[in-house]
Amino acid sequence: MRIVVCVKHVPDVQSERALDDDGHLVRGLDDVLNELDENAVEAAVSLVEEHGGEVVALTMGPDDAEDAVRRALQMGADRGVHVSDEALAGSDAVATARVLAAAVRTLQGEAPVDLAITGMASLDGLTSMLPAALAAALDLPPLTLASELTVTGGRVRVRRDIGTAAEVLEAPLPALVSVTDQANEPRYPAFRAIKAARKKPVDTWSLADLGLGTAGSATAVVSAEERPAREQGRIVTDSGDAGRQLAEFLIDAKLV
């Protein structure tokens, strides 16, 4: 079984966010492997441990994005592919799907790819659009938001929990699956795995290597600005008329 798992390098959710002069999120300061992609890596590695095969970690981004691939290699992926090109800066979900699809097709030219796995969302954009967009670009059946994942007899089966309901979906391979953070508990790599990951190959591909001239974003950032700092709240000292003061505040703010 050959699995491509898509990963992304994103700013740490605990770090301060900042915008550059072009309105893009500043990257490279406290960036890490997208936390929700750890579940995708774990799902891919677990399937290959069960069935045998290869896990290829695939990412798109600037030079620092290779760190996300390296983390996936430490978690058990066998090989990494990093698509990097200055023309990709600011790509939206549509462009990202096109580029990743071209990379998957390039990998398919080497040997068949049975399964593509992604996380449920990236914690920088939180659009959750990439899995479906990538499935469409690859013409693969999308089985999204999987909380359970199994592969048997050339078919993939997932369980999807929606509110109080649960769906079981099945499709023939090849297919695309996105997993939620309920699908598994990502492993923490031991020192031996971290050391071994340094010797695993990582290929860097440009748009030209994929046969693409441009990424082709469908959207563009018109403007962006940092959110104004929140104003300090007003403290009301109760001297017997705090209720009246609160009522006046709510009325003045048109909250009642």
Side-chain angles (χ1 to χ4, degrees):
M1 169 170 280
R2 193 159 185 249
I3 301 174
V4 174
V5 58
C6 298
V7 297
K8 189 175 184 182
H9 204 221
V10 301
D12 191 304
V13 293
Q14 303 299 326
S15 65
E16 291 292 329
R17 305 295 180 93
L19 300 174
D20 60 22
D21 294 336
D22 296 326
H24 297 134
L25 197 63
V26 175
R27 299 184 179 276
L29 300 178
D30 299 295
D31 292 4
V32 295
L33 169 63
N34 179 49
E35 185 176 340
L36 295 173
D37 290 344
E38 293 183 0
N39 299 98
V41 175
E42 179 63 34
V45 172
S46 296
L47 284 172
V48 165
E49 287 176 342
E50 179 182 356
H51 299 281
E54 179 188 37
V55 175
V56 181
L58 169 63
T59 196
M60 182 188 105
D63 292 344
D64 290 342
E66 184 178 322
D67 291 344
V69 171
R70 292 292 178 186
R71 182 62 176 180
L73 296 178
Q74 293 172 3
M75 294 178 65
D78 303 290
R79 172 188 172 189
V81 173
H82 176 204
V83 181
S84 183
D85 198 300
E86 291 184 0
L88 295 174
S91 295
D92 62 9
V94 173
T96 301
R98 288 172 178 163
V99 173
L100 293 179
V104 172
R105 283 192 290 268
T106 300
L107 289 168
Q108 286 174 327
E110 301 172 357
V113 172
D114 301 293
L115 196 61
I117 302 180
T118 74
M120 63 186 290
S122 61
L123 293 176
D124 54 350
L126 285 173
T127 66
S128 299
M129 292 173 57
L130 180 67
L134 180 56
L138 289 170
D139 195 24
L140 294 178
L143 288 76
T144 56
L145 301 177
S147 58
E148 295 179 7
L149 167 62
T150 57
V151 174
T152 307
R155 300 183 69 85
V156 56
R157 174 176 289 193
V158 306
R159 173 191 170 102
R160 179 163 59 187
D161 298 310
I162 305 175
T164 58
E167 295 180 339
V168 176
L169 307 176
E170 187 177 278
L173 298 177
L176 180 140
V177 175
S178 72
V179 296
T180 71
D181 55 354
Q182 302 301 311
N184 50 50
E185 186 67 32
R187 69 192 66 191
Y188 189 85
F191 175 76
R192 180 178 295 181
I194 294 174
K195 186 176 180 180
R198 299 173 184 170
K199 299 180 180 179
K200 295 179 180 179
V202 177
D203 298 317
T204 301
W205 295 344
S206 66
L207 284 175
D209 293 327
L210 300 176
L212 298 175
T214 60
S217 290
T219 60
V221 177
V222 176
S223 64
E225 58 186 23
E226 294 187 14
R227 181 184 299 173
R230 296 182 63 178
E231 297 181 2
Q232 184 175 356
R234 173 183 153 196
I235 299 176
V236 175
T237 302
D238 188 3
S239 57
D241 62 345
R244 179 179 58 79
Q245 293 186 60
L246 176 59
E248 290 176 350
F249 171 78
L250 294 174
I251 291 171
D252 292 342
K254 298 182 180 180
L255 297 174
V256 294

